[in-house]
Amino acid sequence: QKEVEQNSGPLSVPEGAIASLNCTYSDRVSQSFFWYRQYSGKSPELIMSIYSNGDKEDGRFTAQLNKASQYVSLLIRDSQPSDSATYLCAVKRGGGADGLTFGKGTHLIIQP
Amino acid sequence: GAVVSQHPSWVICKSGTSVKIECRSLDFQATTMFWYRQFPKQSLMLMATSNEGSKATYEQGVEKDKFLINHASLTLSTLTVTSAHPEDSSFYICSARPRTSSSYNEQFFGPGTRLTVL
């Protein structure tokens, strides 16, 4: 059973601070990892993808992957109220064209 | 680029009727499309994987005779919910993987279709 675990929150962060979102996964052969942002009633929007251990930065976002610990995280620097949303961690097995296994998401609230 | 559309965006139907949802990749070709379902307060659950010109692969627990998938071209996949019941009410979201992509594993999601079965 492929599982992706996230703390559902809500995670409340003051505006301008760093928001830290965490995710663990159970399938050790997983190769590709994604963070999506989902606003209420909308479909997910890709924020970051990461495939190898270490950090990957894109603007205010940094994804971190540790395959040995089966752990993925997303840091959002200089958090803005518009960052308030549910953040979904998604995992894909290597090879083929498998779909994604999603966590339940962390509800992030940025307080002005 | 990488825009995916869905039609309709919402639909209300009576129990026992069938509903067809279309998923189109507008500016790229997609050899593979995926159909997900999301119930309130829950995450997205993969229903099936659709490959152009071949039969869809369904996830465990998803009835293939109830959720009919047709991937007739590289830009269109359809999901038909047959004999819909109130428990089928959900947010149905498709995604598409570009045929050629520098980020091989990335999927792009459509805006979703909210189905309400009365």
Side-chain angles (χ1 to χ4, degrees):
Chain A
Q1 180 87 18
K2 293 180 278 188
E3 291 185 354
V4 178
E5 300 288 339
Q6 294 180 255
N7 187 323
S8 61
L11 174 64
S12 186
V13 174
E15 183 176 357
I18 296 175
S20 178
L21 305 166
N22 304 313
C23 170
T24 59
Y25 60 95
S26 63
D27 192 344
R28 188 169 288 276
V29 301
S30 298
Q31 295 291 324
S32 307
F33 307 87
F34 307 88
W35 283 100
Y36 285 85
R37 177 173 62 196
Q38 186 176 29
Y39 294 110
S40 181
K42 303 295 185 182
S43 68
E45 172 192 7
L46 181 65
I47 298 296
M48 293 280 290
S49 60
I50 186 166
Y51 307 109
S52 55
N53 283 327
D55 295 358
K56 178 182 178 182
E57 185 174 322
D58 183 1
R60 296 187 295 114
F61 300 95
T62 298
Q64 299 173 317
L65 173 61
N66 184 325
K67 290 185 179 181
S69 301
Q70 296 176 239
Y71 175 87
V72 194
S73 67
L74 178 70
L75 300 177
I76 306 174
R77 289 181 298 280
D78 188 23
S79 297
Q80 302 298 310
S82 59
D83 294 327
S84 299
T86 296
Y87 288 80
L88 303 172
C89 174
V91 173
K92 178 187 177 299
R93 289 170 62 98
D98 292 342
L100 300 176
T101 300
F102 283 86
K104 289 187 176 182
T106 297
H107 184 203
L108 175 65
I109 299 172
I110 306 301
Q111 295 180 323
Chain B
V3 178
V4 178
S5 71
Q6 279 185 245
H7 178 79
S9 57
W10 61 270
V11 58
I12 301 173
C13 70
K14 293 182 178 180
S15 184
T17 60
S18 294
V19 174
K20 179 184 284 188
I21 302 170
E22 292 185 349
C23 176
R24 294 182 185 272
S25 55
L26 297 185
D27 52 1
F28 65 96
Q29 292 184 329
T31 48
T32 304
M33 290 184 172
F34 304 90
W35 287 95
Y36 294 83
R37 179 168 55 180
Q38 186 177 33
F39 292 107
K41 305 292 186 183
Q42 300 295 315
S43 191
L44 281 76
M45 294 296 292
L46 178 66
M47 298 176 66
T49 300
S50 168
N51 290 296
E52 186 264 338
S54 63
K55 290 184 179 180
T57 302
Y58 290 82
E59 294 298 300
Q60 190 174 6
V62 178
E63 299 175 56
K64 63 179 182 180
D65 294 329
K66 180 173 181 61
F67 299 99
L68 302 179
I69 293 173
N70 187 307
H71 193 156
S73 75
L74 288 172
T75 59
L76 172 65
S77 177
T78 61
L79 168 68
T80 301
V81 183
T82 63
S83 187
H85 290 283
E87 57 265 30
D88 298 323
S89 299
S90 187
F91 192 40
Y92 291 85
I93 311 172
C94 73
S95 72
R97 182 172 69 82
R99 188 178 190 182
T100 56
S101 173
S102 59
S103 299
Y104 170 80
N105 295 301
E106 291 186 354
Q107 298 178 24
F108 298 92
F109 283 83
T113 297
R114 189 160 302 281
L115 170 64
T116 301
V117 184
L118 302 177

